[in-house]
């Protein structure tokens, strides 16, 4: 089975024009390396997909939160369509495995790079819109992006939310410690732990220290909420 057929099975949609999907997966590094014609990469489809994603997400939030004001809805939308969240959404599809990347970009970890993954996801949305219309694109967005929205909001702003919760409870100083660093310069992998005083609240990993800290903060928040539900709010 070809890469494109395999991905279509995962998406649950068969393209009339399969070339649109290939176009959505073509990174500029591949187009440049292959000396393809101008516009052969996925940047224009990403532009279109971004607009489709915004309108579908806006409609979804409008109905999901009927009593929330515009400012809050804007903030929630930003948390759901930001680069880290979209990159995380690509994991279910293993989207990085299907990208057409230049050799250099591939060698330096491009298949795991959040910016490339999030752009490709938006390009796929654009290709679905052109091939099947808004309802097909909407179905994809609802299935692969607008799920577990509360957790995604938490993930987006996890460091800030954790800082606010720790300060509000007067529990002590919050700090992050780098616990591991591996890999070559072009493909680093960082491990981080977050502490309040001497107590470890959570750990995280990522290709940047910032990403690892965000994951650690997110895991800490999940743990704190679990404690709260269990009646133990002590830190």
């Amino acid at each position: 089975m070809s890469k494109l057929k395999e991905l279509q099975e995962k998406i649950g949609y068969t393209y009339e024009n399969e070339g649109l999907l290939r176009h959505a997966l073509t990174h500029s590094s591949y187009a440049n390396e292959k000396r393809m014609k101008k516009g052969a990469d996925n940047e224009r489809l990403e532009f279109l997909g971004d607009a489709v994603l915004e309108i579908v997400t806006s409609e979804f939030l409008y109905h999901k939160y009927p009593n929330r004001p515009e400012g809050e809805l804007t903030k929630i939308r930003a948390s759901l369509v930001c680069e880290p969240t979209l990159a995380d959404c690509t994991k279910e599809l293993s989207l990085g495995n299907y990208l057409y990347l230049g050799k250099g970009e591939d060698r330096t970890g491009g298949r795991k790079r959040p910016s490339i993954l999030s752009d490709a996801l938006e390009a796929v949305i654009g290709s679905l819109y052109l091939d099947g219309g808004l309802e097909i694109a909407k179905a994809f967005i609802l299935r692969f992006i607008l799920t577990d929205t509360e957790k995604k909001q938490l993930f987006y702003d996890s460091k800030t939310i954790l800082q606010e919760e720790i300060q509000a409870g007067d529990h002590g100083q919050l700090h992050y410690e780098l616990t591991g660093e591996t890999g070559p310069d072009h493909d680093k992998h960082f491990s981080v732990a977050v502490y309040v005083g001497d107590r470890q609240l959570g750990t995280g990993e990522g290709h940047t220290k910032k990403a690892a800290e965000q994951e650690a903060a997110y895991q800490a928040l999940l743990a704190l909420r679990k404690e709260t539900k269990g009646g133990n709010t002590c830190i």
Side-chain angles (χ1 to χ4, degrees):
M1 184 184 295
S2 71
K3 285 201 312 185
L4 295 179
K5 289 285 191 295
E6 184 176 278
L7 181 56
Q8 287 173 86
E9 282 203 355
K10 288 186 176 182
I11 291 172
Y13 174 76
T14 301
Y15 280 71
E16 292 288 334
N17 178 6
E18 195 176 80
L20 278 169
L21 178 58
R22 182 184 176 95
H23 193 173
L25 301 171
T26 301
H27 187 253
S28 57
S29 62
Y30 182 89
N32 292 335
E33 186 178 279
K34 299 295 183 181
R35 298 184 179 180
M36 298 169 75
K37 65 181 181 181
K38 188 175 181 181
D41 61 42
N42 63 7
E43 291 176 2
R44 281 168 50 85
L45 279 175
E46 176 208 335
F47 164 79
L48 177 60
D50 176 69
V52 175
L53 176 60
E54 182 165 321
I55 186 63
V56 170
T57 304
S58 298
E59 181 193 24
F60 173 83
L61 295 175
Y62 180 85
H63 292 297
K64 183 177 176 64
Y65 301 113
N67 299 316
R68 299 281 185 94
E70 176 268 346
E72 284 188 34
L73 294 177
T74 299
K75 184 177 179 181
I76 296 170
R77 185 180 63 196
S79 72
L80 297 177
V81 302
C82 69
E83 180 184 296
T85 307
L86 292 181
D88 190 63
C89 291
T90 66
K91 291 177 181 177
E92 185 177 349
L93 292 167
S94 301
L95 191 63
N97 295 340
Y98 300 98
L99 300 179
Y100 295 94
L101 298 178
K103 291 178 182 177
E105 192 65 63
D106 198 358
R107 193 166 49 245
T108 56
R111 294 188 187 279
K112 298 178 181 178
R113 191 160 293 130
S115 59
I116 291 177
L117 290 170
S118 62
D119 289 350
L121 186 62
E122 289 182 330
V124 168
I125 293 168
S127 72
L128 286 166
Y129 175 76
L130 290 179
D131 195 77
L134 181 60
E135 288 306 310
I136 294 296
K138 181 178 179 179
F140 175 86
I141 292 167
L142 291 173
R143 178 180 173 187
F144 293 103
I145 299 175
L146 298 180
T147 57
D148 295 327
T149 53
E150 282 75 17
K151 283 189 175 182
K152 285 173 180 173
Q153 291 171 55
L154 197 65
F155 177 76
Y156 170 73
D157 218 11
S158 54
K159 289 183 70 176
T160 302
I161 295 170
L162 181 62
Q163 182 73 42
E164 289 173 351
E165 291 196 6
I166 296 302
Q167 287 178 342
D170 195 26
H171 296 297
Q173 188 66 36
L174 181 72
H175 64 282
Y176 295 84
E177 290 185 10
L178 182 65
T179 58
E181 182 178 338
T182 58
D185 288 341
H186 64 264
D187 192 20
K188 285 284 188 185
H189 188 86
F190 298 92
S191 299
V192 165
V194 59
Y195 293 86
V196 169
D198 294 330
R199 183 191 174 192
Q200 184 183 109
L201 297 181
T203 61
E205 298 182 357
H207 285 280
T208 65
K209 290 179 184 177
K210 182 178 179 180
E213 287 176 355
Q214 179 170 302
E215 175 65 24
Y218 177 65
Q219 294 301 330
L221 284 168
L222 293 182
L224 290 176
R225 277 157 174 68
K226 188 175 181 181
E227 286 182 2
T228 301
K229 284 183 179 179
N232 176 15
T233 58
C234 179
I235 291 183

